Each structure stands twice: as structure tokens, then as C-alpha cells.
Amino acid sequence: MLKAVPGTNDVFAQAKEYPFREPVFRYIVQSAEEVLRGAGAQMIHTPIIEYLEVFQKGVGPTSDIVVKKEMFVLEDRGGRLLALRPEPTASIVRAYNEHGMKVWPQPVRLFTWGPIFRGERQQKGRYKQFHQVDYEALGLADPLLDAEAIALMVRIYKTLGLRGLEVKLGSVGDPADRLRYNQYLRGLFEPYAQTLSEDSKTRLETNPMRILDSKSERDQQIIAELQPRPMLEFLGPEARAFHEKVCHYLDRMGVSFSVDPSIVRGLDYYVRTAWEVHHAQIGAKSALGGGGRYDGLSEMLGGPPVPGVGFGIGIERLAIALEQEGVRIPADPGPMLYLAPLDEAAKIEALALAEQLRPKISVEIGYTPKSPRKALEDALKKGARYVGFLGESERAKGVITLKHLESGEQKELEPLQLHSLFEGPEVQ
Ligand code: HAM
């Protein structure tokens, strides 16, 4: 029997594990949508496959996604390489340019949600296919937008009822600042080159900053010993002033955060503002969500300069945090009426009746004829409010036997009585 690929999951209402329950997903996405639409963002769905270059150039050659070959790459019939999206930001910037959104009133605020693919080693909260809610504000290089994005992200978490949040805000500076910081780090780590993990040996050549984010214990020991100075100390005057403004605006809005001088993000496109949201239950090594500014990304994709800032929220990790905090999302209500044909002839009657009632109420049909006792059991399992029996005696009298499951009250109703019962908005 074939099974799902490890690291991918079926999302449905009865899923054993909380983060894969469909009502939980829906609750997260709907709450996020409400918050983001409330700030003028519109939904966009970009394709899940793009030309490989969009992501190779987008997330950058020194990101883990590229270095660790985490992208799922396919070839089309013409031999062009495509990839399943390992993140949505590059696609959204591509779409902004492709559809000439630059002439719209700026900033353009877009959001999306859906599956993301990264060939990472599977563990709790880390999957090969996971889901994100993603928000992007494009077209203005104003620190107000960074503060607004952080505030919106926090509001999404709070709307869902999550409490134990920690916003860690830093800055990865401008490209020239990062160049200086990388030179400093290269000098610091060079004598330890042989002791570093294989990945970090490569990082030492390409982007030493990424060593600081290494998951290897050996690397982390070396880092703890060397105590490198943080990125924030290497900011040039412009990036520093920008960072201070973001902090000031957040204070002014009353959004709690802490400055984390050593924040480094896993994607190459970030400039200046970078942040992560952490939660005790998810652990220090993984974030609930993250974001930042990416003013050079459009040019990396061959487009004009388009400043932008945004964030991604991992849906499964958020669901894990909600579960740990005891925020339980109620299961979906069952149907208002569960119609149980008691014999073959009643099946089409049940279907015709359902067709008449469905504009007003939700009706589920049992179809397989069964005893009233078994039908009642099924109706209870479905969480129905009423069960309606249709059998030979009902047919003879032209009625339906209706039972209210909570009170146990049962009566025979003619079609007209049935319709008027479900007419009012306050059906019990
Ligand atoms: P990211 O930090 O790579 O950023 O991912 C955002 C969030 O996705 C993470 O904080 C985490 O919750 C979730 N996530 C990442 N990898 C996995 C995984 N393997 N399994 C489960 N969840 C995962 C981005 O993707 C950027 N595009 C965010 C952004 C938008 N920056 C600017 N705009």
C-alpha cells in the first residue's frame, strides 16, 4: 500500500496530530486574512511552480535552500528547469513586476497562503511540505512599513489567542555593511576552518554570516568560544538610523519586541530590517515566523528597483504553539439534519428532500438503508442536530419522522411543516 512521502502530511478534520487538522488550518488562515485585509492587503495566488531561476536568484546562492539543495527541481519537456516554491516572496516580487504594479498607488500590499516545499530533514515542526501565510508590502523603502508589518504579524498571533510570543528584531544592514561583517567573521573563523562542519566550511567561503545560524553543535561550540561581535555593531549610519526608526515606531505603537543584535536570516535577499518571532514551545532553534526587508530582490530577478518588506508565518508551527498553550479550535459543527433512508425506495426521496432544504440548512444523507437505531448512532457521530427517518410507513403517511438529538423529542412532520420548521434563523 502506498503511503505519503515522509515529511508531507494529509490535512483533514480528523487528523491525529493537531497541526494537520483542517479546521485549525482554516482558523489560522481566516484570522490572518481578516487582519491583513483590514490593513488594505489583497490576496494573490502565485503558481506553486516557477522557473528555477526565480528562486535561485531570489533566495540567493548562499542560502541554505540553494547550498543544501533543498529545492525540488523538475524539468519541463523543453528541458527548462522548474522548481516547487521554497518560499513565496520571490514569486510575489516577480508577479509585481510582471503585472506592472509599480503604477498602482504604493505601497502595494499583498498576501497569500499555501504550500511551501523544502527538502529538509524531517523532525517535529520541520517538514518537506509545509504551509505559510505570507504578507508583502512593496514599493516603498519606508521604515514605517517595517513597523507596520511587524505589528500586523503580532496581531495575527494575538487574534488567534497565542500569548507567549517573543519578537526578536535586528538588522542585517546594507550590502556594504554585510561585506565588512563577513570580512570580520572570515578572519575570526579562519583558524577554525578544519574544525567547522562541512556546511560551515562552505559558508566560510561564501557567506560567513550563515555560520552563526548553523544547527551543528560543533559549530555552536566554536561560536560560543569565539563570541563574535554582532551584526548590529557593523551597521553603517543609514542602516542604523533606519533600524532606530523601526524601533521607535514599534514603541510608539505599543508593540513589544526585543532587539536581537545577532539576528541572521536564512535567505540572502534581506537588507536592513530582519526579525523572527519565537515561542518557548517551538524551541530556540526554530522560529514561529520571520520576515524582513528585501530592497534588492527585484533587481536580483532582473527587474527594476522595488523596495519591499514582509513576513512568513509557518502554519504548522503556529498550530503546535496554539495546542501547547491550550488554545483549542472547536471542531466543525455537524449537519443540521441527517437524513436516513430506512429502505431502498426512500433513497431518492431523501435526495429530493435534501435538494429542497439545502438552500436553508445543511443536510447530509446516510444513503445505505439501515435500522433507525444504527441511523441514530451515525447521526450522533456526525454531530447532527436532527435526524430524519424515511421508510415505508413514512411514505404511506406522506411524512418524515424527525428527532431532535439533544432533547430526544420525536414527531412526524408533513413536508410543509418541515419547511416552516427550518424557515426561521433561530432553528434550535
Ligand atoms: P522563513 O524564515 O524561511 O522565511 O520561513 C518562515 C516560516 O516558515 C518559519 O519561521 C517557519 O515557521 C516556517 N518554516 C520554514 N521552514 C519550515 C519547515 N521545513 N517546516 C515547517 N515550517 C517551516 C521565509 O520564507 C520568507 N519568505 C519570509 C518573508 C516574507 N520575508 C519577507 N517576506
Side-chain angles (χ1 to χ4, degrees):
M1 189 180 73
L2 289 169
K3 293 202 164 171
V5 175
T8 71
N9 294 282
D10 298 311
V11 176
F12 62 112
Q14 296 84 352
K16 269 210 198 83
E17 289 182 64
Y18 195 74
F20 310 121
R21 294 206 190 140
E22 192 277 334
V24 178
F25 258 60
R26 190 162 9 109
Y27 175 61
I28 291 174
V29 170
Q30 282 175 354
S31 309
E33 181 169 349
E34 224 166 272
V35 169
L36 296 174
R37 282 197 197 275
Q42 60 162 283
M43 177 129 27
I44 182 168
H45 289 297
T46 59
I48 282 164
I49 46 172
E50 297 265 3
Y51 289 121
L52 175 63
E53 296 98 296
V54 171
F55 302 120
Q56 243 170 6
K57 294 183 174 158
V59 301
T62 75
S63 66
D64 278 353
I65 291 172
V66 170
V67 174
K68 293 191 178 171
K69 301 192 171 54
E70 286 174 357
M71 259 191 283
F72 290 99
V73 178
L74 336 147
E75 197 178 317
D76 71 8
R77 288 199 194 157
R80 269 199 81 171
L81 294 178
L82 313 173
L84 299 184
R85 65 175 178 200
E87 67 102 41
T89 311
S91 299
I92 290 180
V93 172
R94 185 222 15 91
Y96 175 98
N97 287 331
E98 193 164 333
H99 304 292
M101 297 186 198
K102 212 179 168 69
V103 301
W104 299 5
Q106 306 294 305
V108 174
R109 294 183 176 87
L110 300 168
F111 73 100
T112 194
W113 87 277
I116 307 286
F117 303 85
R118 293 183 193 173
E120 291 190 272
R121 206 143 25 98
Q122 185 200 341
Q123 42 186 288
K124 184 158 186 183
R126 199 171 288 279
Y127 315 100
K128 286 194 166 57
Q129 176 177 334
F130 60 100
H131 298 77
Q132 277 186 6
V133 170
D134 177 89
Y135 163 85
E136 313 293 348
L138 296 141
L140 283 185
D142 190 322
L144 285 165
L145 289 187
D146 306 44
E148 186 184 33
I150 295 170
L152 286 171
M153 192 179 183
V154 169
R155 191 125 58 78
I156 291 172
Y157 291 121
K158 291 207 166 148
T159 304
L160 289 162
L162 197 72
R163 290 175 305 263
L165 290 178
E166 206 189 335
V167 178
K168 295 183 177 183
L169 173 67
S171 172
V172 293
D174 286 318
D177 306 335
R178 243 177 0 254
L179 212 61
R180 274 187 292 124
Y181 190 48
N182 269 334
Q183 271 165 2
Y184 156 75
L185 290 178
R186 204 168 277 129
L188 193 69
F189 285 111
E190 201 78 65
Y192 297 80
Q194 290 319 309
T195 345
L196 287 169
S197 69
E198 284 310 309
D199 282 341
S200 286
K201 276 180 196 147
T202 319
R203 292 174 179 136
L204 191 58
E205 301 290 316
T206 55
N207 189 2
M209 237 175 113
R210 300 280 320 126
I211 298 176
L212 303 179
D213 215 17
S214 167
K215 305 241 164 12
S216 137
E217 256 173 48
R218 196 150 37 114
D219 292 349
Q220 283 304 331
Q221 270 168 9
I222 298 173
I223 294 164
E225 224 170 89
L226 291 176
Q227 303 253 327
R229 288 168 61 201
M231 174 69 228
L232 216 56
E233 290 182 16
F234 285 74
L235 297 190
E238 285 178 4
R240 175 165 305 284
F242 196 95
H243 172 68
E244 279 162 9
K245 279 187 187 151
V246 177
C247 295
H248 170 66
Y249 298 151
L250 285 171
D251 283 336
R252 178 78 169 68
M253 279 190 286
V255 175
S256 326
F257 67 99
S258 60
V259 171
D260 182 340
S262 55
I263 210 142
V264 280
R265 301 269 297 129
L267 308 164
D268 289 0
Y269 53 57
Y270 289 115
V271 293
R272 301 193 174 180
T273 314
W275 73 89
E276 283 182 353
V277 175
H278 285 261
H279 189 273
Q281 253 80 37
I282 299 294
K285 288 238 172 78
S286 330
L288 261 192
R293 177 159 281 284
Y294 47 82
D295 294 348
L297 173 55
S298 169
E299 287 148 293
M300 283 152 76
L301 301 178
V306 178
V309 62
F311 60 76
I313 290 178
I315 294 183
E316 287 86 350
R317 285 191 198 169
L318 173 52
I320 292 170
L322 287 171
E323 184 185 24
Q324 299 278 353
E325 280 197 6
V327 181
R328 291 301 188 123
I329 287 98
D332 289 331
M336 176 64 79
L337 174 62
Y338 182 78
L339 272 184
L342 304 176
D343 58 16
E344 280 296 321
K347 281 160 66 171
I348 180 61
E349 279 179 52
L351 182 57
L353 181 61
E355 187 60 17
Q356 288 169 8
L357 290 173
R358 275 182 183 150
K360 294 178 205 140
I361 57 163
S362 54
V363 185
E364 186 172 338
I365 307 174
Y367 280 128
T368 318
K370 55 191 79 140
S371 69
R373 191 182 53 79
K374 181 75 182 53
L376 194 65
E377 266 174 38
D378 287 357
L380 282 167
K381 272 189 204 151
K382 298 273 178 186
R385 279 222 239 156
Y386 290 90
V387 59
F389 303 107
L390 282 165
E392 206 183 328
S393 81
E394 282 81 7
R395 216 167 20 254
K397 294 189 221 162
V399 295
I400 170 175
T401 305
L402 192 75
K403 189 181 182 81
H404 186 249
L405 286 165
E406 206 183 293
S407 66
E409 197 185 318
Q410 184 168 314
K411 50 188 163 192
E412 289 182 348
L413 295 179
E414 286 173 5
L416 262 177
Q417 292 174 301
L418 190 67
H419 281 280
S420 57
L421 172 70
F422 292 124
E423 206 70 70
E426 68 294 329
V427 184
Q428 287 299 304

